[in-house]
Amino acid sequence: MAEQRDYFEEVYEVVRLIPKGRVTTYGSIARYLSLRAGARMVGWAMNGCRNRPDVPAHRVVNSVGLLSGKHFFGGPTIMQQLLEDEGVRIEKDRVVDFKTLLWDPSLELAI
DNA sequence: TCACTGACGGCTG
DNA sequence: ACAGCCGCCAGTG
């Protein structure tokens, strides 16, 4: 179907705005877009972004900085390598200094 | 139609 | 700090 969920596109747009070397969370995106569906649907939206190379899904982690979606990158270390290549340190599938690197659209974009 | 699952998050003990 | 439970929406058996 040509008609994707509108919030899918909105999610992709926000994800594309994430600066290199920064990360954000599913919940932050959901809150920024006022998705009452919650973070789960953001994750579901990311599932559809696998066909979209321009969407840096690796910069999206869960609320504790855990690379919960690493297994969906074709390998258990792909997501980690992508992040480390941008200067984000990963330790035990978790973003180091996650709270500092967190890029919350609700704050940074200041809607 | 019901039940279970999932790239999550918040609340409670 | 940690573990468990519930709610949220969509897809699948």
Side-chain angles (χ1 to χ4, degrees), chain A residues 27-107:
Chain A
S28 295
I29 296 174
R31 193 171 25 164
Y32 171 72
L33 296 176
S34 301
L35 299 179
R36 74 172 172 57
R40 279 191 181 271
M41 285 302 97
V42 176
W44 189 251
M46 302 313 285
N47 203 359
C49 86
R50 289 163 63 175
N51 284 353
R52 301 175 180 256
D54 48 321
V55 179
H58 59 276
R59 294 178 188 156
V60 186
V61 297
N62 68 2
S63 61
V64 294
L66 198 65
L67 309 188
S68 48
K70 61 166 184 166
H71 209 64
F72 284 62
F73 281 80
T77 59
I78 305 298
M79 185 175 184
Q80 175 173 341
Q81 290 218 351
L82 286 170
L83 285 169
E84 286 183 331
D85 188 56
E86 297 183 352
V88 179
R89 286 215 299 150
I90 307 297
E91 198 170 295
K92 296 175 184 173
D93 297 334
R94 199 182 54 180
V95 176
V96 179
D97 290 330
F98 162 68
K99 201 171 181 182
T100 303
L101 296 176
L102 177 61
W103 182 85
D104 190 336
S106 300
L107 301 177

